[in-house]
Amino acid sequence: MSSLLRRQILRKTGGMDIPLVGFAPAERWNNPLFEPWVPEAFRPASLVPGTKSVIVIGFPVSLPIVDTAPSIWYHELYHVVNETLDACAYRLATFLTEKGYPSVWVPRDGYGSITVLKENPAAFFSHRHAAFCAGLGTFGENNMLLTPQYGPRVRFASILTSAEIPGDPVLEESLCIRCGRCVSACPVSAVKSGGYPAHLTDKHACACRSEELRDRYLSPCGCCIKVCPVGNDRQQYNRNDMRMYDDHNPLSEPYRRVRDHVRSYGSR
């Protein structure tokens, strides 16, 4: 029955054009996969007692738009992807509940606002860890979840369900190549060399940067995810040559023109 339900879920998500779907048993959170690990209060079965499985869905943020970040274009894309994620996760949770498996959706964010995040730099549930547990990717130096398909250019939402669904294997080999591009690209030095979990991102510095950009209608920042060389989306958009981010290289000139044009509009 559990395998049948998994197939039904995949048909449902396919009908909603969700490109990334992963499954993880809730008990996977009880066996730390590295240190530091997710505190008990943040685990699925603590949030909703009776949770047996977590379904993680993901949508990409389009690389050519991210390449203009921070910009009004990326600002609008970010909000559209977030709203789409929440709507799809809500529909999937409702679908499962109506089939007799009580389920709830966890929104893509859980911290209220950037101002709140500065004071308490965490959400009540980590979709990145959920995506990791569901076999969708591995952590990179910028503490983001890197996926084979899109690198870190993905947004996630999760569904906590009472259904027991076969889980996907956790990826064992890191996708991060430790190139350090995200470290160098961070405008506020929030990303530390060495990567997660050894070195955490300076969330306060990152939040302050986001707050400044928000007031100019340019949040989020996006600098560390656009320069990551990981992801098949680079082949899809023919953006494999990382010299495109070197402003001193002639190859970067057409991309700089687009970036400068977009940044000239829609912000203070």
Side-chain angles (χ1 to χ4, degrees):
M1 181 61 186
S2 59
S3 296
L4 174 60
L5 181 60
R6 179 185 167 109
R7 291 195 297 272
Q8 291 174 336
I9 292 169
L10 290 174
R11 282 198 298 271
K12 182 71 173 179
T13 56
M16 291 190 283
D17 296 322
I18 300 174
L20 293 179
V21 183
F23 301 84
E27 64 181 17
R28 194 169 279 175
W29 272 256
N30 297 330
N31 301 299
L33 299 175
F34 51 77
E35 295 291 346
W37 186 239
V38 181
E40 185 174 356
F42 295 79
R43 298 175 188 175
S46 296
L47 286 176
V48 181
T51 297
K52 299 297 183 182
S53 304
V54 178
I55 307 166
V56 184
I57 63 173
F59 280 97
V61 287
S62 309
L63 178 56
I65 299 178
V66 180
D67 277 339
T68 68
S71 70
I72 187 64
W73 200 1
Y74 180 44
H75 174 83
E76 296 293 346
L77 170 68
Y78 188 82
H79 288 292
V80 167
V81 170
N82 282 347
E83 290 170 1
T84 304
L85 265 175
D86 282 349
C88 289
Y90 172 79
R91 288 177 59 190
L92 189 55
T94 301
F95 167 77
L96 287 166
T97 300
E98 290 179 347
K99 290 185 73 67
Y101 304 100
S103 306
V104 296
W105 126 96
V106 182
R108 83 284 170 181
D109 291 326
Y111 51 81
S113 72
I114 295 174
T115 302
V116 173
L117 192 62
K118 287 169 58 181
E119 301 172 0
N120 185 19
F124 68 83
F125 183 77
S126 172
H127 296 294
R128 293 176 301 145
H129 286 82
F132 174 78
C133 287
L136 292 177
T138 64
F139 284 93
E141 278 201 314
N142 59 356
N143 294 195
M144 300 296 288
L145 202 286
L146 310 187
T147 66
Q149 299 90 340
Y150 309 106
R153 294 167 290 276
V154 186
R155 297 286 291 159
F156 297 107
S158 304
I159 298 92
L160 312 185
T161 179
S162 59
E164 293 192 47
I165 306 168
D168 293 304
V170 173
L171 298 185
E172 296 183 359
E173 185 174 348
S174 175
L175 297 172
C176 182
I177 62 173
R178 306 296 179 189
C179 65
R181 289 183 177 276
C182 57
V183 178
S184 301
C186 181
V188 293
S189 301
V191 182
K192 308 302 180 184
S193 181
Y196 187 86
H199 301 282
L200 299 177
T201 295
D202 185 339
K203 294 183 179 180
H204 185 268
C206 189
C208 288
R209 162 74 169 168
S210 294
E211 186 175 52
E212 183 267 328
L213 291 173
R214 179 201 61 190
D215 293 340
R216 296 164 52 202
Y217 308 107
L218 292 177
S219 63
C221 175
C223 290
C224 71
I225 69 169
K226 70 180 178 182
V227 299
C228 180
V230 177
N232 294 335
D233 55 344
R234 292 212 164 273
Q235 285 77 25
Q236 292 173 335
Y237 289 108
N238 194 26
R239 294 177 183 233
N240 294 316
D241 195 329
M242 300 304 292
R243 290 177 294 177
M244 64 177 286
Y245 299 109
D246 181 359
D247 286 346
H248 302 292
N249 193 294
L251 286 173
S252 71
E253 200 273 334
Y255 303 103
R256 281 189 288 114
R257 282 204 312 268
V258 172
R259 181 188 63 199
D260 293 344
H261 170 72
V262 172
R263 288 181 179 177
S264 298
Y265 297 90
S267 65
R268 294 177 178 176

